[in-house]
């Protein structure tokens, strides 16, 4: 069975076509600048040269049609007919409290996605556009919504509730949801499988570290806690996001600079984090290079990032009363041995020791702790597209 996986942004559309008989990626690509001058598709089919199409893409429906035409193209495609696509799995960022698992798209599901526009104004509208574009281009093909917030729905109320008047939770659904959930769910399962642990009892901490960063704790696939909140702004320091701060800072800056809340929130989302502290870049590679050259602010930025990740790990060990495996994933977590080692240096009290040779490797699933380490530490590449495809497959074959 072939499943198309889509991740739609406001002006972009990423896709993969996966043969679920062997979980092989047949083709993948990106439509850029949808609705903007200079739009194009970059397509890569397995075993073939990359293919670029520069053409106007006024909306997501046009982008979907171009993707479909490319997938069946005699020279660059990988299937003979669109009819070979059994289902489409969509990454949807916010499902509110309505969905704790993947679900077939219906008018009710689309209403929930629309109702969450306020909670995810940059992503949910684009996600819905992608769904409706597929409905128009491939009538009758099942569409499945896989929610990034679903993983966090298993948190106990004591973990997700904010200490503000309870009415705000009841009226507006203001609570901690958590994000990167598709990645956390996939990596937690993969880490347990790879390490040969008992899935039902293993206590897992996943550090999804990249330009966006979050940490989760889970047992038996159930999220115990996760660092992001109502929005992805809460939690760890990130590339341009501040992470958790004293809320009074917002009011203080507004008063000092004569600005409104929206102005300060823009700063917290786009000009803070690693970029804000270092003044160098939001790219960890650039900031680490500056750190190695003796740049004090770059050094503080990296040290602050590492310190807060270690603190989340420590707090989640308390929440689960122990930990069996700590998995690092995403761009920084998978590839940056220096960051992983620095985080683990805080965890010596757990009896963790790192295998420097394994830790220096990149791009493959591996255990980076030594055999005598009392807690397993691993680097586990995430694969959100495969996770979406698996959930889509399970849903459409169970109907």
């Amino acid at each position: 069975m072939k499943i198309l996986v889509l991740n739609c942004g406001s002006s972009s559309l990423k896709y993969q076509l996966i043969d679920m008989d062997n979980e092989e990626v047949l083709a993948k690509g990106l439509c850029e600048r949808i609705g903007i001058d200079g739009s194009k598709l970059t397509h890569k089919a397995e075993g073939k040269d990359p293919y670029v199409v520069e053409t106007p893409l006024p909306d997501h429906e046009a982008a979907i049609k171009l993707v479909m035409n490319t997938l069946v193209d005699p020279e660059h495609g990988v299937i003979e007919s669109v009819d070979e696509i059994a289902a489409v799995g969509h990454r949807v960022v916010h499902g509110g409290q309505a969905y704790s698992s993947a679900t077939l798209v219906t008018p009710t599901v689309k209403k929930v996605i629309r109702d969450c526009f306020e909670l995810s104004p940059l992503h949910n509208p684009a996600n819905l556009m992608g769904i409706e574009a597929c409905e128009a281009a491939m009538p009758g093909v099942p569409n499945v919504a896989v929610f990034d917030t679903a993983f966090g729905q298993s948190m106990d109320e004591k973990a997700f509730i904010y200490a503000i008047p309870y009415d705000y939770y009841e009226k507006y659904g203001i609570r901690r949801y958590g994000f990167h959930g598709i990645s956390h769910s996939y990596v937690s399962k993969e880490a347990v499988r790879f390490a040969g642990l008992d899935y039902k009892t293993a206590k897992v901490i996943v550090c999804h570290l990249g330009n966006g960063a979050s940490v989760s704790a889970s047992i038996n696939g159930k999220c115990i806690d996760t660092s992001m909140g109502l929005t992805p702004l809460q939690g760890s320091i990130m590339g341009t996001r501040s992470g958790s701060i004293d809320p009074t800072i917002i009011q203080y800056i507004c008063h000092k600079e004569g600005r409104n809340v929206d102005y300060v929130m823009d700063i917290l989302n786009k000009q803070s984090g690693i970029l804000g502290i270092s003044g160098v870049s939001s790219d960890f590679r650039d900031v680490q290079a500056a750190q190695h050259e003796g740049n004090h602010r770059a050094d503080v930025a990296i040290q602050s990032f590492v310190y807060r990740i270690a603190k989340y790990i420590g707090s989640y060990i308390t929440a689960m009363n122990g930990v069996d495996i700590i998995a690092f994933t995403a761009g920084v977590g998978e590839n940056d041995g220096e960051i992983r080692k620095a985080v683990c240096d805080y965890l010596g009290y757990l009896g963790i020791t790192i295998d420097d040779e394994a830790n220096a490797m990149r791009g493959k699933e591996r255990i980076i702790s030594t055999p005598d380490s009392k807690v397993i530490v691993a680097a586990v590449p995430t694969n959100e597209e495969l996770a979406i495809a698996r959930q889509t497959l399970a849903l459409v074959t169970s109907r």
Side-chain angles (χ1 to χ4, degrees), residues 134-151:
C134 285
E135 289 175 333
M138 295 180 284
V141 174
N143 286 273
V144 174
V146 181
F147 295 95
D148 214 23
T149 49
F151 182 65

Side-chain angles (χ1 to χ4, degrees), residues 125-289:
N127 300 154
L128 184 58
M129 282 191 287
I131 289 170
E132 293 183 333
C134 285
E135 289 175 333
M138 295 180 284
V141 174
N143 286 273
V144 174
V146 181
F147 295 95
D148 214 23
T149 49
F151 182 65
Q153 286 301 298
S154 61
M155 283 189 288
D156 287 343
E157 189 170 13
K158 66 184 179 185
F160 73 65
I161 202 71
Y162 285 114
I164 59 176
Y166 200 79
D167 285 353
Y168 293 126
Y169 167 57
E170 294 182 315
K171 289 192 294 186
Y172 308 123
I174 297 177
R175 50 157 285 178
R176 296 179 59 245
Y177 289 96
F179 298 85
H180 296 147
I182 298 169
S183 175
H184 282 289
S185 177
Y186 173 84
V187 172
S188 63
K189 295 180 178 69
E190 187 63 18
V192 168
R193 182 202 63 78
F194 181 70
L197 299 173
D198 184 344
Y199 179 70
K200 292 182 179 179
T201 60
K203 298 173 180 179
V204 187
I205 292 175
V206 174
C207 303
H208 178 111
L209 309 182
N211 197 271
S214 58
V215 184
S216 71
S218 62
I219 304 173
N220 192 24
K222 177 183 177 182
C223 178
I224 305 301
D225 208 339
T226 188
S227 58
M228 287 178 167
L230 176 71
T231 74
L233 184 60
Q234 184 179 353
S236 171
I237 292 170
M238 301 173 228
T240 63
R241 297 180 191 135
S242 65
S244 297
I245 62 170
D246 180 343
T248 308
I249 291 171
I250 299 171
Q251 181 190 52
Y252 190 78
I253 295 174
C254 285
H255 289 172
K256 284 291 185 181
E257 301 209 342
R259 300 286 190 168
N260 61 23
V261 170
D262 290 343
Y263 172 84
V264 179
M265 291 304 297
D266 189 70
I267 290 174
L268 296 181
N269 273 290
K270 300 178 181 177
Q271 300 177 45
S272 299
I274 293 293
L275 171 63
I277 298 173
S278 72
V280 173
S281 172
S282 63
D283 190 305
F284 281 77
R285 293 165 295 187
D286 297 337
V287 179
Q288 283 175 301

Side-chain angles (χ1 to χ4, degrees), residues 123 274 313 322 341:
H123 297 95
I274 293 293
I313 292 172
K341 181 68 163 57

Side-chain angles (χ1 to χ4, degrees), residues 55-130:
T55 185
L57 296 173
D59 51 35
H60 284 72
E61 186 173 347
I64 289 290
K65 287 179 179 177
L66 178 59
V67 170
M68 296 300 104
N69 290 338
T70 305
L71 289 173
V72 300
D73 183 85
E75 183 178 354
H76 304 287
V78 291
I79 54 177
E80 294 184 2
S81 168
V82 174
D83 293 339
E84 293 182 41
I85 298 174
V88 184
H90 299 263
R91 176 179 181 256
V92 180
V93 168
H94 219 305
Q97 297 185 88
Y99 299 107
S100 58
S101 61
T103 185
L104 283 167
V105 173
T106 65
T108 300
V109 173
K110 290 199 288 185
K111 181 181 185 302
V112 169
I113 295 171
R114 192 175 289 108
D115 289 344
C116 290
F117 279 9
E118 283 187 320
L119 293 173
S120 184
L122 297 179
H123 297 95
N124 268 41
N127 300 154
L128 184 58
M129 282 191 287

Side-chain angles (χ1 to χ4, degrees), residues 378-392:
V380 180
T382 191
N383 193 333
E384 292 176 293
E385 291 80 12
L386 179 57
I388 292 169
R390 285 175 175 173
Q391 292 183 55
T392 300

Side-chain angles (χ1 to χ4, degrees), residues 340-349 354:
R340 291 192 298 262
K341 181 68 163 57
V343 170
C344 290
D345 282 346
Y346 279 99
L347 308 175
Y349 67 97
I354 296 300

